[in-house]
Amino acid sequence: MIFLKKPLIILTGPTAVGKTKLSISLAKAVNGAIISADSMQVYRHMDIGSAKIRPEEMCGVPHYLIDVREPGEFFSMADFQKLSYEKIDEIHARGHLPMIVGGTGLYVDSVLDGYLLSDKEPDLAYRVELEKLTTPMLYAKLVSLVPDVQVER
């Protein structure tokens, strides 16, 4: 488990509650820099559907983890966590206060709670095969692979 020992502001909540506007005001007041915790804003060209902040709306406040992947490229919670920890250190080194802002709660939790995540690349071909199976078929496969597991249904 990773424990954050430096100050960090978290602003999270559902879509369209005013996080962006509030985060800009807050960042200006505390010399902050924003790490976006939005699972869609990491993708380039996903501007309208994700309500991605436009450069002119940033008002000079640095923003990170926006437009870091192409649509269709893999991006996981582990990727978010790793990049966030790097950005948190970089932001502190520049004398700013990092702020994680966004509505993807699992991303935020992965940073705050220090989830231990594998750095193993996913087997996307195997995932495609598993997606063809029904839930009962997946359950039977799990039980055959790990017979001692007890899963309540």
Side-chain angles (χ1 to χ4, degrees), residues 27 33-34 39 48 50 56 60 63 76 79 86 89-90 105 107 117 120 122-123 125 136 143 149:
I34 295 171
S39 64
I48 297 170
S50 67
E56 63 271 15
H63 281 67
S76 69
D79 295 323
E86 290 171 4
D89 288 343
E90 289 173 20
Y107 280 11
L117 302 169
K120 183 177 179 188
D123 184 342
V143 170
V149 93

Side-chain angles (χ1 to χ4, degrees), residues 2-147:
I2 296 171
F3 293 101
L4 296 171
K5 297 179 182 177
K6 298 175 183 174
L8 174 67
I9 293 175
I10 305 297
L11 181 57
T12 189
T15 301
V17 295
K19 293 182 300 289
T20 299
K21 185 176 180 182
L22 178 60
S23 70
I24 296 296
S25 296
L26 183 58
K28 288 176 143 188
V30 300
N31 194 27
I34 295 171
I35 298 168
S36 172
D38 186 293
S39 64
M40 295 311 297
Q41 291 185 14
V42 297
Y43 295 104
R44 293 178 192 98
H45 317 297
M46 302 285 210
D47 301 347
I48 297 170
S50 67
K52 190 180 298 176
I53 190 168
R54 295 185 310 269
E56 63 271 15
E57 294 173 310
M58 293 179 184
C59 300
V61 174
H63 281 67
Y64 302 96
L65 302 192
I66 295 175
D67 292 339
V68 296
R69 293 286 194 279
E70 290 296 327
E73 282 186 281
F74 187 77
F75 189 84
S76 69
M77 177 177 55
D79 295 323
F80 176 81
Q81 183 192 56
K82 178 181 180 288
L83 292 172
S84 290
Y85 287 147
E86 290 171 4
K87 292 300 176 193
I88 288 168
D89 288 343
E90 289 173 20
I91 292 166
H92 275 294
R94 285 194 300 277
H96 296 276
L97 181 59
M99 300 170 53
I100 295 181
V101 179
T104 305
L106 196 54
Y107 280 11
V108 174
D109 290 346
S110 75
V111 172
L112 291 180
D113 294 337
Y115 292 174
L116 294 176
L117 302 169
S118 171
D119 59 357
K120 183 177 179 188
E121 290 292 318
D123 184 342
L124 298 179
Y126 185 53
R127 180 178 289 182
V128 168
E129 291 303 311
L130 291 175
E131 287 175 350
K132 295 175 185 174
L133 303 177
T134 65
T135 301
M137 293 165 73
L138 285 168
Y139 180 78
K141 185 168 190 66
L142 172 64
V143 170
S144 73
L145 293 170
V146 189

